[in-house]
Amino acid sequence: MAVERTFTIIKPGALQRRLVGEIISRFETKGFRILGMKTLKIPKEIAEEHYKEHVGKSFYKPLLSYMTSDPAVVMVLERENAVESLRKLAGATNPDSAEPGTIRGDFGVTTKKNIVHASDSLESAVREIDIFFNKNEIINYSDSLKEWY
Ligand code: CMP
């Protein structure tokens, strides 16, 4: 399977609830390499660009206001089949439908505050990474776990 990069936002509610370590731990134990990571209060224009496919939907304005209300953590993650793998780890958009064992299934309460965003395709991942990261903020590296034991 091809090595891919994907993008995630750990949403403001997860920082407020002190869930960041638990969530990153799930990414790591699933084998994702962290190539980029930062905490930021997402500027309104950036949130608008990121969520532009949802303009006009009933949840668009509340979503924008939530995502810009407090700091979030954004990350570039890499592994084989990264996009699909991260979507599975995140679980269904609505936490009520998300399976136990997934991040949203375990920690999510409402759809708006559903803990994490995960890119829905390789194309979206490229677009979203480009919105949030400069090239020099993404560190490309390979690893070999066995060398560390
Ligand atoms: P996310 O993966 O960040 O992508 C779009 C977001 O919009 C989604 O997660 C949810 O947080 C939010 N969203 C999608 N559908 C709804 C809905 N019906 N009501 C409220 N928020 C929604």
Side-chain angles (χ1 to χ4, degrees):
M1 252 180 231
V3 172
E4 300 172 350
R5 288 178 181 184
T6 191
F7 172 75
T8 185
I9 304 176
I10 303 178
K11 298 188 177 187
L15 278 74
Q16 292 292 329
R17 292 172 58 194
R18 313 294 194 262
L19 291 173
V20 173
E22 168 79 37
I23 292 165
I24 292 177
S25 179
R26 290 184 182 212
F27 296 155
E28 289 198 306
T29 49
K30 193 67 190 172
F32 285 95
R33 279 190 291 283
I34 299 170
L35 304 192
M37 174 162 76
K38 58 187 172 186
T39 305
L40 80 168
K41 192 162 172 194
I42 301 175
K44 187 161 175 273
E45 322 75 72
I46 299 283
E48 284 170 348
E49 178 62 24
H50 175 73
Y51 281 125
K52 69 179 181 191
E53 67 177 291
H54 298 299
V55 171
K57 293 182 184 167
S58 59
F59 59 83
Y60 175 72
K61 281 192 174 158
L63 176 67
L64 230 59
S65 138
Y66 168 60
M67 293 300 293
T68 56
S69 63
D70 260 311
V73 172
V74 293
M75 301 175 75
V76 179
L77 297 171
E78 186 176 82
R79 58 160 281 162
E80 287 185 348
N81 198 30
V83 171
E84 189 189 344
S85 182
L86 188 67
R87 297 279 290 179
K88 276 193 183 156
L89 205 56
T93 303
N94 179 346
D96 286 340
S97 312
E99 295 291 330
T102 64
I103 293 167
R104 289 165 173 163
D106 289 350
F107 306 118
V109 180
T110 62
T111 303
K112 186 175 81 172
K113 300 181 184 176
N114 62 355
I115 312 292
V116 290
H117 165 80
S119 302
D120 64 5
S121 65
L122 212 42
E123 206 178 26
S124 299
V126 169
R127 187 184 83 85
E128 293 169 0
I129 289 169
D130 199 46
I131 292 172
F132 284 89
F133 284 89
N134 296 319
K135 293 263 178 295
N136 64 1
E137 294 174 316
I138 301 169
I139 312 299
N140 204 16
Y141 63 101
S142 56
D143 60 30
S144 172
L145 265 185
K146 62 182 187 302
E147 288 172 14
W148 297 91
Y149 289 98

